[in-house]
Amino acid sequence: MLRLVVRGREIRWMAAGVVLFLARSTLAQDRPPELIDLPSVIAPHGEPAGPVELIAEVDPEGRARVTACEDSAARCEVARRAVEASSFAPARRGDRPIRARVRLRLRLVRASAPPADPYGDVPPDPS
């Protein structure tokens, strides 16, 4: 038992409870989710390349689900597919995986070439 005198009044604490509280607050550090793998994010045809900001929720198993995106529907859709196909290490509280909400900024890139015409490389019939 720990005794503390404040303004002439004695306050008694259980020392073990105070130590346990302090140990828990310093040891149980929260760690945010970590992105392990992200597929390429190619801007949709006719849409500009550049950043897309969104909010995703990562569950304790490391699966992500986009909850908000404020961009064009086409850009948000390719960003959503990329995030939901990504691998995350879940957020942790101490040793325990927990659900967490994160703000992500993805960079959409232009495709290196326009979609190929499936008949464009066929040579003309010599007959």
Side-chain angles (χ1 to χ4, degrees):
M1 187 153 315
L2 178 66
R3 284 183 24 193
L4 178 65
V5 177
V6 177
R7 294 185 190 172
R9 297 174 66 188
E10 184 177 320
I11 300 172
R12 296 180 187 188
W13 294 352
M14 294 294 293
V18 172
V19 171
L20 178 62
F21 172 76
L22 293 175
R24 182 167 182 209
S25 65
T26 57
L27 293 177
Q29 298 294 322
D30 289 350
R31 289 189 323 232
E34 295 178 32
L35 181 63
I36 296 171
D37 181 47
L38 176 70
S40 295
V41 188
I42 298 175
H45 183 66
E47 293 283 335
V52 173
E53 292 188 10
L54 46 91
I55 296 175
E57 189 173 270
V58 180
D59 69 16
E61 287 78 36
R63 292 184 303 260
R65 181 178 64 85
V66 173
T67 58
C69 178
E70 294 183 12
D71 209 312
S72 73
R75 288 169 52 90
C76 286
E77 180 60 22
V78 295
R80 182 194 64 75
R81 279 192 252 138
V83 167
E84 292 179 0
S86 297
S87 300
F88 287 86
R92 293 193 169 275
R93 178 162 292 141
D95 291 338
R96 190 171 52 100
I98 59 171
R99 182 176 307 275
R101 196 172 266 166
V102 293
R103 180 178 300 274
L104 300 170
R105 186 175 194 175
L106 303 182
R107 185 160 210 48
L108 275 61
V109 296
R110 288 207 184 277
S112 57
D117 179 3
Y119 303 105
D121 292 36
V122 177
D125 189 6
S127 50

